[in-house]
Amino acid sequence: MLTPKKLMHFFLLAAIMLMALSARSPVAYAERIKDIATVQGVRSNQLIGYGLVVGLDGSGDQTTQTPFTVQSLTNMLSQLGVQLPPGTSLQLRNVAAVMLTSTLPAFAKPGQQIDVTVSSLGNAKSLRGGTLLLTPLKGADGQIYAMAQGNVIIAGAGAAAGGSKVQINQLNAGRIPAGATVERAVASPFATSESLQLELNSTDFSTATKLAEAVNRRMGAGTANALDGRVIQVKVPQTSNERVAFMADLENLEVESVLPPARIVINARTGSVVMNRMVTLEPCAVSHGNLSVTISSTPLVSQPAPFSQGQTVASEKADISIKQDPGQVLLLEGGTKLSDVVKALNSIGVTPQDLLAILQAMKSAGSLKAELEVI
């Protein structure tokens, strides 16, 4: 029979064991399906178009340097029944050729309005106060999916006088909110196919397996089947109303998160280094020396003697020096936590650019347990 004192010792020992296990194992958390996967075929499409912006206050294209603006204007006027005499030279400053870009959202229907971005194509100084003329927006297949027209909204401002210029933000690009009307819908397999396919945002076999298991537990066995490390096939109801309700319930299901692979992302242009918590480091020794080259230039002028009819000659004297700091061998202790890895790398005391080379060398030596991704 357990006495109260022994019972207290038993519970204390169990609590210590649970704390030790929780300290050794990573904390698991869940993510919604809508946050880690998308439905195949349910996506947006990019649209592009070419048009003219009129009504500018003398800040349009210089037609002598942008002949396509004059050609576009001439073609537009001819379509409106205005025929210009042959050889007419147009010198317009209130017209600008522009490119239009927009995004056609999934399930967009004719009559729906979408935003349009307008960007100058020629040498216009500003699109402020301009109006976009009716312009078709085409998809990758060359078909017209929307028509755009409206007043261009520019967030910037600028002024110039006497050779001085002041400008805030960009004047050659703007937006037309709800400036395009959808004219054609994009066919989607969502309402016609017997099954849908979920695509993970990142390929991972463990996540694909756990996602399929979560769907089968909630919707019934055999509903979901993982095809590979990225695609999960899901059987859906056949009627549209039931299918929408099914997907609304499905996308809010929570899937146990899988620990990501150890990875270090390096931006070679900015020197930024980002690593996740799975990165580990084995003990290693690092030696890194700095090499600096200094070039100094001094202008020299050779002045001829009076009445010698010589010429003044300007020359330049360059001094080049190379300095190499001795490299010191540092011992980096191993670490299984991200804080230990950061502490070890900070002990090297190098610049981010030097750290890129050191991380690559440590990876090659086998002491850095992580994937290196250079962007």
Side-chain angles (χ1 to χ4, degrees), residues 226-263:
L227 302 182
D228 51 37
R230 195 179 188 93
V231 180
I232 299 92
Q233 188 176 34
V234 180
K235 297 180 181 179
V236 294
Q238 298 306 309
T239 61
S240 59
N241 189 27
E242 293 178 350
R243 180 170 298 195
V244 173
F246 177 86
M247 292 303 300
D249 191 13
L250 177 67
E251 66 181 3
N252 287 303
L253 286 180
E254 292 187 345
V255 179
E256 182 182 351
S257 177
V258 180
L259 295 177
R263 180 173 300 169

Side-chain angles (χ1 to χ4, degrees), residues 266-286:
I266 302 172
N267 192 321
R269 296 181 297 274
T270 62
S272 303
V273 179
V274 179
M275 60 188 71
N276 61 15
R277 62 180 180 138
M278 302 305 297
V279 177
T280 59
L281 182 66
E282 297 291 339
C284 62
V286 176

Side-chain angles (χ1 to χ4, degrees), residues 13-359:
L13 180 60
I16 294 176
M17 293 179 63
L18 288 176
M19 291 178 61
L21 290 176
S22 61
R24 292 174 59 87
S25 60
V27 179
Y29 59 95
E31 293 179 298
R32 296 178 303 175
I33 291 181
K34 65 165 58 178
D35 297 327
I36 62 175
T38 58
V39 181
Q40 189 179 78
V42 180
R43 64 179 183 86
S44 59
N45 292 274
Q46 303 299 320
L47 303 179
I48 190 171
Y50 169 81
L52 294 174
V53 171
V54 298
L56 302 177
D57 187 13
S59 60
D61 292 340
Q62 298 180 8
T63 54
T64 55
Q65 300 178 5
T66 55
F68 50 86
T69 304
V70 178
Q71 182 181 0
S72 302
L73 182 61
T74 303
N75 294 338
M76 183 199 66
L77 292 177
S78 64
Q79 294 177 4
L80 296 177
V82 179
Q83 300 295 333
L84 298 178
T88 302
S89 178
L90 299 178
Q91 299 295 329
L92 304 176
R93 298 297 302 275
N94 59 347
V95 181
V98 294
M99 295 298 298
L100 310 180
T101 55
S102 183
T103 301
L104 185 67
F107 306 118
K109 304 300 181 182
Q112 181 178 343
Q113 293 181 326
I114 56 178
D115 297 342
V116 179
T117 300
V118 183
S119 304
S120 175
L121 183 62
N123 53 7
K125 296 180 180 179
S126 174
L127 299 180
R128 191 177 184 86
T131 300
L132 174 70
L133 300 181
L134 190 62
T135 304
L137 297 178
K138 299 181 180 181
D141 56 357
Q143 300 294 327
I144 297 176
Y145 287 91
M147 299 295 295
Q149 183 172 269
N151 297 327
V152 183
I153 298 179
I154 303 294
S164 300
K165 180 180 179 181
V166 177
Q167 179 175 321
I168 300 176
N169 295 334
Q170 176 61 261
L171 300 178
N172 289 331
R175 290 181 65 84
I176 307 179
T181 303
V182 178
E183 301 293 341
R184 183 196 300 265
V186 178
S188 174
F190 179 80
T192 57
S193 59
E194 297 181 356
S195 61
L196 296 178
Q197 293 183 347
L198 299 178
E199 294 182 352
L200 295 177
N201 297 334
S202 58
T203 302
D204 189 272
F205 288 97
S206 300
T207 304
T209 302
K210 290 183 177 296
L211 193 152
E213 292 175 352
V215 174
N216 290 330
R217 283 195 303 267
R218 178 66 176 84
M219 304 300 181
T223 303
N225 180 29
L227 302 182
D228 51 37
R230 195 179 188 93
V231 180
I232 299 92
Q233 188 176 34
V234 180
K235 297 180 181 179
V236 294
Q238 298 306 309
T239 61
S240 59
N241 189 27
E242 293 178 350
R243 180 170 298 195
V244 173
F246 177 86
M247 292 303 300
D249 191 13
L250 177 67
E251 66 181 3
N252 287 303
L253 286 180
E254 292 187 345
V255 179
E256 182 182 351
S257 177
V258 180
L259 295 177
R263 180 173 300 169
I264 298 178
V265 180
I266 302 172
N267 192 321
R269 296 181 297 274
T270 62
S272 303
V273 179
V274 179
M275 60 188 71
N276 61 15
R277 62 180 180 138
M278 302 305 297
V279 177
T280 59
L281 182 66
E282 297 291 339
C284 62
V286 176
S287 175
H288 187 77
N290 294 325
L291 178 66
S292 60
V293 180
T294 304
I295 301 177
S296 59
S297 178
T298 304
L300 300 176
V301 178
S302 176
Q303 186 71 22
F307 307 106
S308 62
Q309 297 183 354
Q311 296 181 353
T312 302
V313 178
S315 60
E316 183 178 6
K317 180 182 178 181
D319 295 329
I320 303 177
S321 61
I322 299 178
K323 179 182 178 181
Q324 184 175 10
D325 297 333
Q328 182 180 2
V329 179
L330 299 177
L331 175 62
L332 301 185
E333 298 293 340
T336 58
K337 296 190 299 183
L338 180 60
S339 58
D340 297 335
V341 177
V342 173
K343 189 181 301 182
L345 295 178
N346 284 336
S347 65
I348 304 177
V350 295
T351 63
Q353 295 295 340
D354 294 334
L355 186 59
L356 305 183
I358 293 177
L359 289 176

